[in-house]
Amino acid sequence: MPRHGLSPGQGHCRSSGDQGLERSSWAPRLGLFWLGLGLGLLLVLPDSMVLWAPVRAHPLPAQGYPARLNGIGPSLKDAFGWWNLSCPVCKSLFTAINFGLKQEPNIVRLGSVATKLCKILNIAPPNVCQSAIHLFENDMIEVWTRSVLSPSEACGLLLGSSCGHWDIFSPWNISLPDVPKPVPKPPAPPAPGAPVSRVLFLTDLHWDHDYLEGTDPNCPDPLCCRKGSGLPPTSQPGAGYWGEYSKCDLPLRTLESLLSGLGPAGPFDMVYWTGDIPAHDVWQQSRQDQLRALNTITDLVKKFLGPVPVYPAVGNHESTPVNGFPPPFIEGNQSSRWLYDAMAKAWEPWLPAEALRTLRIGGFYALSPRPGLRLISLNMNFCSRENFWLLINSTDPAGQLQWLVRELQAAEDRGDKVHIIGHIPPGHCLKSWSWNYYHIIARYENTVAAQFFGHNHVDEFEVFYDEETLSRPLAVAFLAPSATTYIGLNPGYRVYQIDGNYSGSSHVVLDHETYILNLTQANAPGATPRWQLLYRARETYGLPNTLPAAWHDLVYRMRDDDQLFQTFWFLYHKGHPPTEHCGAPCRLATLCAQLSARADSPALCRHLVPNESLPDVQGLWRRPLFC
């Protein structure tokens, strides 16, 4: 398959695959000083730029930096002539790199060398290399000068574990209150006729202000269907009016159509909106671009939803550079203050004063939308594998998890239930963050009534189990599909039915519905867009309820029933699945991912997959994911 080409039915967020690294005659002459800086940028660019990498069987949870770079290190060693470099010399040279950068970082020279590396290694098209590195270089210099890589870690990466240990994300643990955990008590079904709330869930809108009908949907850049994409070959159609099944985001008119056409799915009691507002043109975004997207789409939501309360969460694309969310101890121009202050101003009609205060500090907040229910909006960028600022210190950035524990304990003391919303799903987080979050959910299983995330662009879920046996389902996180088409999908949104607003409500999810815009129909000559119900979860999957045990049982039913799995595969891709068949390893890996709310935890799948097949399935399940 061509590196930059996409067939019409390919999936959404692509696994990285192996990056080809070409030999270069000029590279050894660059010197380790500047190659070290280039390597620092390579920590970021692959995750941001390989948005167009060839499709794999399933877009699956990432391994994180160490596993990804274990494959890159030997190739760099060969490409740049470091095979004869001794360990002591390597450590001496990287010590000099760190010292030199702290004394006088030369950003211009760094950018020039990193751009050459990006082009030679074929990380991105030349224009993307140039723009992306210019965008990232200041922040990467700041990160590097704070000793992101010790000489031992850098040389362990390049020369192997005998020279140093690559483990900058060391394990850590949060503290739980010294309060005994209540006996687990599953929620009782609501009484017949009890109130039911409808919650609109929006995620990954990805508005592309440069979307242009008729342009090439398979251009060389990471994002197409836009000004600068050029025209398609005469034998191929151009981008559709309402969107395109390719590596393209949405025009504003499609988002207006979505919001103006919500009537049949409503009315709604509230809205959960979990971020990713700007498009995937991450190599050329400015702060002004991001703020324009934030304010334009926020105004659009206010226009069409009127008095319905909206509770947002911060996505990884809201910042620029993409994924760049410094912890609060980073101050000045490189902090996230510019973004959080703008969000607080735009969302002030929806959020109370205390929520706005913590939003301005760290991009997270808590509030009480109704009696007996506490809503917690997490900034999941502080768990992100792609947030390069966490290379400085990834131990509970911003103290957010410890804050979450305090919120949950207070809710337990009051007898309240809690909804948690966020962008990146917990199973896709850095391992220590993910395991701590898993531990928190297990402790407060009686209090956390529901969890809602986005980011993956497809329709899936993650089941949580008791930590002692990993066999009793105790919670489920719902991962809703995206509004955007990126990559090869129909536009869509989700509606949750929640146990309603009354004394004693469990506030659990009772069912959910997914709506789509069929692009084939919408882009037909003379057609008008028609948003339609794709499916209802309980009806389609034959679920007795939507509690954790029902989703656990569904996974095992799909393992043994291929027809049921193919239904799931179709709905997983919002009614437009890849043309590639999902065979047995892909199927088991897909199902394994539904059980994996804890990152890098193969034991969660030990009952699902035969022992002799587990290594093959893990190879698919653990491929990196880039959204």
Side-chain angles (χ1 to χ4, degrees):
M1 186 179 299
R3 179 177 174 83
H4 304 302
L6 286 166
S7 63
Q10 287 176 351
H12 67 300
C13 302
R14 295 302 179 214
S15 56
S16 69
D18 296 324
Q19 300 302 310
L21 299 173
E22 300 175 5
R23 292 291 297 269
S24 167
S25 60
W26 58 264
R29 298 197 301 269
L30 290 172
L32 279 173
F33 183 86
W34 300 111
L35 281 174
L37 297 178
L39 179 61
L41 279 168
L42 288 174
L43 289 172
V44 177
L45 284 175
D47 282 348
S48 302
M49 294 291 99
V50 258
L51 302 170
W52 64 96
V55 67
R56 295 293 183 264
H58 175 65
L60 298 162
Q63 290 175 288
Y65 284 102
R68 176 161 58 82
L69 290 177
N70 282 342
I72 293 176
S75 300
L76 286 172
K77 175 183 171 184
D78 180 68
F80 299 119
W82 296 344
W83 51 86
N84 291 322
L85 187 66
S86 69
C87 184
V89 171
C90 179
K91 290 181 179 179
S92 297
L93 287 170
F94 270 93
T95 299
I97 289 173
N98 286 344
F99 179 78
L101 276 174
K102 290 175 181 178
Q103 295 301 311
E104 189 177 359
N106 188 322
I107 294 177
V108 174
R109 191 171 179 187
L110 163 66
S112 175
V113 172
T115 300
K116 290 178 182 177
L117 278 170
C118 181
K119 293 175 181 177
I120 291 296
L121 300 181
N122 199 26
I123 293 173
N127 66 306
V128 176
C129 286
Q130 184 91 24
S131 299
I133 288 171
H134 179 69
L135 186 61
F136 277 90
E137 60 191 4
N138 285 311
D139 284 0
M140 284 307 304
I141 282 284
E142 177 69 19
V143 171
W144 193 285
T145 55
R146 289 173 178 261
S147 299
V148 178
L149 291 174
S150 71
S152 177
E153 289 168 335
C155 294
L157 166 65
L158 293 172
L159 302 181
S161 58
S162 61
C163 185
H165 184 50
W166 170 260
D167 186 22
I168 53 175
F169 295 119
S170 56
W172 50 272
N173 294 301
I174 49 86
S175 300
L176 293 177
D178 188 19
V179 178
K181 176 182 176 178
V183 176
K185 184 179 180 182
V196 175
S197 296
R198 293 180 68 81
V199 177
L200 172 64
F201 190 87
L202 301 172
T203 190
D204 298 273
L205 274 63
H206 289 293
W207 166 47
D208 185 359
H209 56 79
D210 282 340
Y211 187 98
L212 185 60
E213 179 190 8
T215 54
D216 188 1
N218 294 302
C219 69
D221 290 343
L223 184 66
C224 298
C225 302
R226 59 202 321 264
K227 299 173 184 176
S229 296
L231 297 175
T234 54
S235 60
Q236 300 294 325
Y241 184 78
W242 295 103
E244 187 57 55
Y245 294 125
S246 191
K247 48 179 180 177
C248 306
D249 282 321
L250 292 179
L252 190 64
R253 56 180 168 267
T254 306
L255 295 174
E256 288 178 320
S257 172
L258 186 161
L259 293 168
S260 65
L262 288 170
F268 307 112
D269 295 271
M270 51 190 173
V271 181
Y272 294 163
W273 176 20
T274 60
D276 269 15
I277 304 169
H280 285 87
D281 57 332
V282 298
W283 67 95
Q284 60 181 17
Q285 291 170 339
S286 68
R287 289 184 177 182
Q288 290 73 24
D289 293 329
Q290 308 308 82
L291 296 181
R292 173 175 59 174
L294 168 68
N295 291 318
T296 299
I297 302 304
T298 297
D299 288 346
L300 203 66
V301 170
K302 290 175 181 176
K303 173 183 176 181
F304 287 106
L305 287 166
V308 180
V310 179
Y311 304 117
V314 183
N316 64 299
H317 277 264
E318 265 71 279
S319 186
T320 184
V322 67
N323 300 313
F325 287 83
F329 64 77
I330 301 295
E331 298 178 344
N333 188 53
Q334 287 179 303
S335 77
S336 292
R337 188 65 183 264
W338 66 274
L339 178 62
Y340 298 151
D341 281 351
M343 288 176 168
K345 181 178 180 181
W347 300 341
E348 186 174 13
W350 299 326
L351 305 180
E354 176 59 19
L356 292 170
R357 186 187 71 83
T358 56
L359 174 66
R360 287 189 175 98
I361 295 172
F364 52 86
Y365 63 86
L367 53 81
S368 297
R370 58 182 51 167
L373 177 65
R374 191 73 169 163
L375 173 69
I376 297 176
S377 176
L378 295 178
N379 185 350
M380 299 299 285
N381 295 292
F382 290 141
C383 83
S384 172
R385 305 170 188 271
E386 282 72 56
N387 184 359
F388 51 90
W389 286 98
L390 301 189
L391 293 170
I392 298 173
N393 184 356
S394 64
T395 302
D396 193 13
Q400 181 178 214
L401 283 183
Q402 208 63 61
W403 169 85
L404 172 64
V405 168
R406 293 194 297 271
E407 281 287 338
L408 291 175
Q409 185 60 55
E412 180 180 280
D413 294 343
R414 293 190 301 267
D416 288 350
K417 299 300 181 182
V418 170
H419 285 178
I420 296 175
I421 64 173
H423 184 68
I424 300 171
H428 290 70
C429 293
L430 287 166
K431 182 175 179 178
S432 290
W433 201 102
S434 178
W435 284 52
N436 274 291
Y437 181 84
Y438 203 93
H439 186 52
I440 293 168
I441 295 300
R443 164 60 183 84
Y444 293 99
E445 63 173 292
N446 286 354
T447 299
V448 179
Q451 303 170 69
F452 309 93
F453 299 92
H455 184 62
N456 290 358
H457 294 199
V458 289
D459 187 346
E460 49 187 340
F461 55 90
E462 292 179 351
V463 181
F464 294 70
Y465 295 89
D466 70 288
E467 295 180 291
E468 292 75 20
T469 68
L470 293 179
S471 61
R472 180 176 66 85
L474 56 82
V476 61
F478 296 97
L479 281 51
S482 63
T484 187
T485 56
Y486 191 93
I487 297 176
L489 301 169
N490 285 309
Y493 65 90
R494 166 69 52 82
V495 178
Y496 291 99
Q497 290 84 57
I498 309 287
D499 195 7
N501 187 15
Y502 62 92
S503 178
S505 172
S506 68
H507 297 286
V508 299
V509 173
L510 304 176
D511 203 352
H512 66 67
E513 304 165 356
T514 297
Y515 293 79
I516 64 163
L517 175 66
N518 185 310
L519 283 181
T520 302
Q521 297 173 0
N523 285 331
T528 56
R530 186 175 68 89
W531 294 83
Q532 56 192 282
L533 175 68
L534 180 64
Y535 81 103
R536 293 185 177 90
R538 288 188 59 183
E539 176 186 25
T540 300
Y541 294 130
L543 301 174
N545 52 54
T546 51
L547 299 179
W551 296 102
H552 167 90
D553 292 343
L554 174 62
V555 171
Y556 283 85
R557 285 196 287 131
M558 290 192 290
R559 180 193 63 179
D560 301 327
D561 184 341
D562 184 64
Q563 184 175 355
L564 181 61
F565 173 77
Q566 295 305 327
T567 297
F568 175 80
W569 187 247
F570 177 81
L571 300 174
Y572 176 99
H573 292 94
K574 290 186 286 179
H576 195 259
T579 54
E580 297 86 354
H581 177 68
C582 183
C586 161
R587 174 176 164 188
L588 289 174
T590 303
L591 296 178
C592 187
Q594 312 310 302
L595 304 179
S596 304
R598 193 167 74 177
D600 194 18
S601 185
L604 293 167
C605 294
R606 69 182 188 273
H607 299 305
L608 179 71
V609 182
N611 287 336
E612 62 273 15
S613 302
L614 192 58
D616 292 337
V617 170
Q618 288 173 348
L620 287 172
W621 172 43
R622 300 174 66 190
R623 291 186 191 277
L625 172 72
F626 307 118
C627 288

